[in-house]
Amino acid sequence: MFKLASKFQPTGDQPEAIDKLVKGLKSGKKHQVLLGVTGSGKTFSMAKVIEAYKRPTLIVSHNKTLAAQLYKEFKSFFPKNAVHYFVSYYDYYQPEAYIPHTDTYIEKDSKINEEIDRLRHAATQALMNRDDVIIIASVSCIYNLGSPEDYKNLGLEIFEGKKINPSDLVRSLMRLQYTADIELKRGAFRKTANEIEIVSSNGQDAYKITFKNDEVAKMYRADVKDPEDLEFKDMQYERVVSAVIFPAKYWIASDDKISLAIENIKSELQKHVKHLKKIGKLEEAFRLQEKTIQDIEMMRQTGYCHGIENYSRHLDFRKAGQPPYTLLDFFSSKGEFLSIIDESHITIPQLRSMYNGDHSRKSTLIEYGFRLPSAIDNRPLKFPEFTTRVRKQIYVSATPGKYEMEKAGEKNIAEQVVRPTGLLDPTIEIQPTENQIPHLLKNIQERVSSGERVLVTTLTKRMAEDLSEHLADKGVKVNYLHSEIKTLDRLKILKDLRLGKHDVIVGVNLLREGLDLPEVSLIAILDADKEGFLRNTTTLIQTMGRAARHVNGHVIMYADKLTKSIDSSIKETLRRRKKQEKYNTDNKITPTTILKDIGDFDLPISKSAMGKLGNTSRGGDNDSGIVFFGDANKQNVLKQLNRLMEKAMRHFDYERAMEIKEQIRRMKE
């Protein structure tokens, strides 16, 4: 069912880890851990397990960027299988909220990313049509999505010879929330005298339907490789005999269900308005009645309304308190499936926390008459509800949490601590805090003289800035990173470190997961003995792992006492290093530093396009980074930049997309 395409074969302790995990799954193990260090090839091992186990697979990651990286890797591993991406489709999201003490109502405000919405539909439709499905998702997978049964049953079946006239087909498409448009685009249709063209909600299929005597005469289908093809290329249609058009939005219900749901909404409204009036909340009662009646009328006319998900309990005919339908219910239609929780030490706590914040916000909206009580059931899953829906899980992390380790048990932990490159975990030393800065400066100078880079972690932003200033006064090429530094500037600082424009970066909590800086050979951890989130065992191991990409990787902890976290993190690092050294000796492997290209963070446009600039710096050179195309005015430039940003996001190049977004912000100021 799954066919992995790779020129590599499992090496090091990958074969043993893969074999153990696959045997565990086949023997019915519900919880297993893949303890894999940075650079050991965890993603490849995950792919080998999926190939061997032959079940639909959900991979949960804790943020969009890491999920996108996994998606690209799995697409390359499984080019002939259905690999999809399912994350929140909001570029910007301000949830509906009410702040009682200032009497402030905040209306929901959001900007939907059309490309990610398309990918979400592609993912759910793949689960309807195929078995060889891998979906990489964020915690969005536990949020309300609507009934998979309704989504499937409302699919509009069209076939040659079907008795239907163009007007009736248009009405059916509009009930599925397709829009009429003169341009072909996802979730839209274009009608001429006896022909209708439709682009499906997944954006991958375009259909052309011709009619004769109120009957479908011929049908054609074209593959849409890139959404831009719809605008700039002629579609290559091929004859088909039938097709199913799935809804353009979630939370769509049939006419008979809508009618019954509306009656139930009206009944709840009547009861709750009566309750509000009884307790003296007349303003709240009036507000709720007015808002809900407007939504009911919109649903009655079109089958949809803004915020329809808040009525999903009635549309799904769920009982009060019953969990919503999520992506996991779409997976359940496939029978048994595999769940892989990536970076589980972060993802599991994230899954645990989603419900409480949502519940608190909605409770306030209900109390003050902005929503019906049933809106509380438009929510993410509670953690116990999540665990009952994912029956077989593999937790993947270099530092699995207590929950994962206890659930799996000692016998169900597969270790992967040997790196294909032969690189070892870094050596570690502990130094007293007295004279720590002169000691640090000396070590920085030694590393810099060898062409190597250094990361220094502090506990506060102020400390990061002050230390950077002191090091700069001593002639060190240094910069600092903390949460107040904009994303675009952080990317540039990291790139400059790799290029050698900086030799040292001082940071707070930005030197953990996701940083791949092979030039870094030294990590210095100040105040390592200050127990807490920034200095617990997991954080220390993850931070030290940033030096594991260099053959001379070394860590200095500045501390006056040996805390439990320092002790356990050192013991674990030494245990792994010992195993790595033995493997290298047995297999005559010489560790080598990873060589990695330095990514280009510049705008994806030619340098020759630069020239006619709207603003110049004090020195006369452009430092805004804003590029004007020929004689384009500001509005045309903004339009072009928006298109470049959307294209970058379609290709999951978030670094580039963030840069362009920053260019747009500067132009609008």
Side-chain angles (χ1 to χ4, degrees):
M1 183 166 73
F2 290 104
K3 181 64 177 175
L4 193 152
S6 175
K7 62 183 180 181
F8 301 108
Q9 291 298 321
T11 59
D13 45 13
Q14 283 179 325
E16 184 181 342
I18 294 164
D19 185 60
K20 185 171 185 175
L21 292 170
V22 172
K23 285 181 178 177
L25 290 170
K26 290 182 176 178
S27 66
K29 303 288 186 186
K30 292 184 177 180
H31 302 274
Q32 297 184 89
V33 167
L34 173 57
L35 194 162
V37 300
T38 303
S40 64
K42 294 190 292 290
T43 305
F44 181 68
S45 295
M46 289 156 59
K48 293 296 287 185
V49 169
I50 292 169
E51 181 186 41
Y53 191 51
K54 298 179 172 63
R55 293 287 188 278
T57 301
L58 169 67
I59 302 171
V60 186
S61 180
H62 63 91
N63 68 44
K64 284 183 180 181
T65 304
L66 293 179
Q69 290 175 10
L70 285 172
Y71 171 71
K72 290 163 84 171
E73 289 182 86
F74 277 95
K75 283 284 280 186
S76 66
F77 283 145
F78 296 103
K80 295 186 178 179
N81 299 114
V83 180
H84 292 278
Y85 181 66
F86 189 96
V87 299
S88 170
Y89 55 16
Y90 294 113
D91 279 340
Y92 165 77
Y93 181 63
Q94 168 61 60
E96 181 183 30
Y98 179 66
I99 305 170
H101 68 273
T102 58
D103 189 25
T104 304
Y105 172 68
I106 303 169
E107 191 173 3
K108 176 181 173 180
D109 185 18
S110 63
K111 182 179 185 298
I112 291 176
N113 183 301
E114 289 296 327
E115 178 61 14
I116 293 180
D117 188 36
R118 178 189 75 78
L119 292 167
R120 286 164 63 94
H121 279 280
T124 51
Q125 289 173 31
L127 285 169
M128 296 289 178
N129 298 321
R130 298 179 66 163
D131 293 322
D132 59 334
V133 181
I134 300 169
I135 295 179
I136 293 87
S138 66
V139 292
S140 189
C141 67
I142 67 169
Y143 276 76
N144 188 3
L145 197 60
S147 166
E149 184 179 350
D150 284 348
Y151 187 79
K152 183 176 183 178
N153 292 342
L154 282 168
L156 179 62
E157 187 175 4
I158 307 172
F159 50 87
E160 288 188 356
K162 181 173 183 173
K163 296 289 184 181
I164 188 171
N165 63 48
S167 297
D168 286 342
L169 179 57
V170 165
R171 279 191 287 273
S172 295
L173 288 170
M174 293 184 76
R175 289 294 291 179
L176 294 181
Q177 301 305 306
Y178 283 80
T179 57
D181 206 307
I182 58 172
E183 291 183 9
L184 279 181
K185 58 185 180 183
R186 186 184 71 86
F189 65 89
R190 180 168 64 192
K191 180 181 179 298
T192 55
N194 284 302
E195 184 178 281
I196 295 177
E197 290 179 277
I198 308 164
V199 181
S200 65
S201 56
N202 67 13
Q204 297 174 334
D205 309 293
Y207 297 98
K208 183 188 289 185
I209 302 165
T210 61
F211 296 85
K212 187 176 182 181
N213 300 325
D214 291 342
E215 181 179 291
V216 175
K218 292 179 182 178
M219 287 185 62
Y220 303 89
R221 177 189 171 278
D223 278 326
V224 182
K225 302 295 185 185
D226 189 313
E228 288 187 0
D229 292 349
L230 294 167
E231 187 175 353
F232 298 112
K233 293 183 180 180
D234 291 330
M235 292 291 97
Q236 300 299 310
Y237 285 104
E238 294 182 358
R239 186 88 173 263
V240 293
V241 295
S242 65
V244 175
I245 309 296
F246 284 101
K249 297 181 185 294
Y250 298 105
W251 301 292
I252 302 290
S254 59
D255 289 345
D256 56 334
K257 281 192 173 185
I258 281 281
S259 299
L260 183 54
I262 285 174
E263 291 306 311
N264 291 336
I265 292 167
K266 287 166 69 177
S267 296
E268 184 189 10
L269 175 64
Q270 188 176 1
K271 290 177 184 177
H272 196 56
V273 165
K274 185 177 180 181
H275 166 73
L276 290 172
K277 288 180 177 178
K278 186 177 180 180
I279 62 175
K281 292 190 171 184
L282 301 181
E283 183 181 346
E284 287 86 346
F286 174 78
R287 179 165 54 216
L288 181 65
Q289 180 143 355
E290 183 180 45
K291 182 177 181 60
T292 308
I293 292 298
Q294 287 176 353
D295 289 345
I296 285 173
E297 284 307 308
M298 186 62 72
M299 280 190 279
R300 198 192 304 277
Q301 292 175 28
T302 68
Y304 196 81
C305 74
H306 183 65
I308 193 172
E309 62 273 14
N310 289 297
Y311 302 103
S312 60
R313 189 176 92 190
H314 293 296
L315 295 167
D316 297 336
F317 299 97
R318 291 184 277 125
K319 294 179 181 178
Q322 193 174 343
Y325 293 108
T326 67
L327 182 67
L328 302 179
D329 294 287
F330 283 78
F331 263 101
S332 295
S333 67
K334 311 305 293 181
E336 184 183 318
F337 66 95
L338 171 64
S339 300
I340 298 175
I341 313 299
D342 190 46
E343 299 290 1
S344 61
H345 64 286
I346 300 176
T347 307
I348 290 293
Q350 199 177 58
L351 289 165
R352 283 181 180 276
S353 67
M354 291 297 105
Y355 171 79
N356 289 332
D358 182 85
H359 186 271
S360 174
R361 178 176 58 81
K362 288 223 177 75
S363 295
T364 304
L365 287 167
I366 291 164
E367 181 182 352
Y368 289 91
F370 291 94
R371 286 292 169 192
L372 287 171
S374 57
I376 205 77
D377 288 325
N378 168 40
R379 59 175 176 83
L381 294 176
K382 300 174 184 176
F383 189 66
E385 294 168 346
F386 169 78
T387 58
T388 59
R389 284 161 174 72
V390 287
R391 297 186 184 124
K392 290 187 177 179
Q393 299 178 72
I394 296 176
Y395 308 102
V396 181
S397 174
T399 53
K402 184 179 178 182
Y403 170 85
E404 302 97 277
M405 298 296 275
E406 288 180 352
K407 277 291 184 181
E410 191 176 334
K411 293 183 179 179
N412 297 313
I413 298 170
E415 280 203 340
Q416 195 168 292
V417 300
V418 173
R419 298 180 178 87
T421 56
L423 283 170
L424 307 172
D425 272 27
T427 53
I428 303 169
E429 67 174 291
I430 300 177
Q431 289 290 333
T433 58
E434 187 178 357
N435 297 319
Q436 61 181 351
I437 302 305
H439 182 272
L440 173 61
L441 181 60
K442 180 185 175 186
N443 278 270
I444 287 172
Q445 290 167 341
E446 289 175 358
R447 297 284 167 164
V448 170
S449 67
S450 300
E452 299 166 10
R453 314 281 190 272
V454 180
L455 299 180
V456 183
T457 77
T458 65
L459 282 177
T460 67
K461 299 172 188 175
R462 178 65 181 272
M463 195 184 303
E465 293 175 3
D466 288 349
L467 179 57
S468 298
E469 187 177 342
H470 176 74
L471 293 175
D473 289 342
K474 297 295 182 181
V476 177
K477 294 188 294 182
V478 62
N479 210 327
Y480 60 84
L481 282 176
H482 53 61
S483 59
E484 291 180 8
I485 306 295
K486 292 178 182 178
T487 300
L488 181 64
D489 293 331
R490 289 203 299 268
L491 294 173
K492 186 177 186 305
I493 290 168
L494 292 173
K495 180 185 177 182
D496 286 346
L497 177 76
R498 297 202 63 200
L499 289 170
K501 293 181 182 179
H502 308 311
D503 290 320
V504 180
I505 287 182
V506 184
V508 182
N509 191 30
L510 301 173
L511 307 179
R512 293 176 58 197
E513 303 86 355
L515 278 186
D516 189 1
L517 304 167
E519 293 81 8
V520 171
S521 67
L522 175 63
I523 303 284
I525 304 174
L526 302 183
D527 296 308
D529 54 359
K530 300 294 190 292
E531 283 276 19
F533 172 70
L534 294 176
R535 296 294 182 263
N536 63 27
T537 302
T538 297
T539 306
L540 289 174
I541 292 174
Q542 290 282 353
T543 303
M544 291 189 291
R546 298 312 102 198
R549 298 279 186 177
H550 199 286
V551 70
N552 297 324
H554 184 66
V555 174
I556 304 174
M557 293 189 189
Y558 291 99
D560 293 323
K561 59 183 177 181
L562 188 67
T563 63
K564 184 179 178 181
S565 294
I566 292 176
D567 185 51
S568 56
S569 63
I570 290 176
K571 284 178 178 176
E572 175 61 14
T573 302
L574 293 177
R575 183 189 71 81
R576 296 176 183 183
R577 185 178 172 92
K578 185 176 179 181
K579 187 173 181 180
Q580 294 158 358
E581 286 175 331
K582 183 179 185 305
Y583 181 83
N584 288 353
T585 301
D586 292 346
N587 293 276
K588 297 181 174 58
I589 294 174
T590 301
T592 53
T593 298
I594 291 173
L595 297 177
K596 182 182 178 184
D597 290 338
I598 300 174
D600 184 6
F601 294 104
D602 295 330
L603 271 171
I605 48 181
S606 67
K607 300 296 182 183
S608 61
M610 300 180 70
K612 296 189 177 181
L613 306 167
N615 297 299
T616 57
S617 65
R618 286 183 297 271
D621 295 320
N622 173 51
D623 65 352
S624 68
I626 298 166
V627 179
F628 281 71
F629 298 76
D631 295 319
N633 60 32
K634 184 176 179 179
Q635 288 305 313
N636 286 338
V637 173
L638 284 171
K639 184 177 180 180
Q640 183 74 302
L641 286 173
N642 271 299
R643 290 183 64 178
L644 287 170
M645 181 176 71
E646 289 167 5
K647 184 174 182 179
M649 294 193 73
R650 281 200 300 274
H651 292 89
F652 304 98
D653 192 346
Y654 288 114
E655 290 175 346
R656 188 168 286 177
M658 283 188 287
E659 289 201 355
I660 301 171
K661 187 175 182 179
E662 180 68 9
Q663 302 284 346
I664 294 169
R665 184 191 66 78
R666 289 177 184 172
M667 284 200 70
K668 288 181 176 179
E669 286 179 348

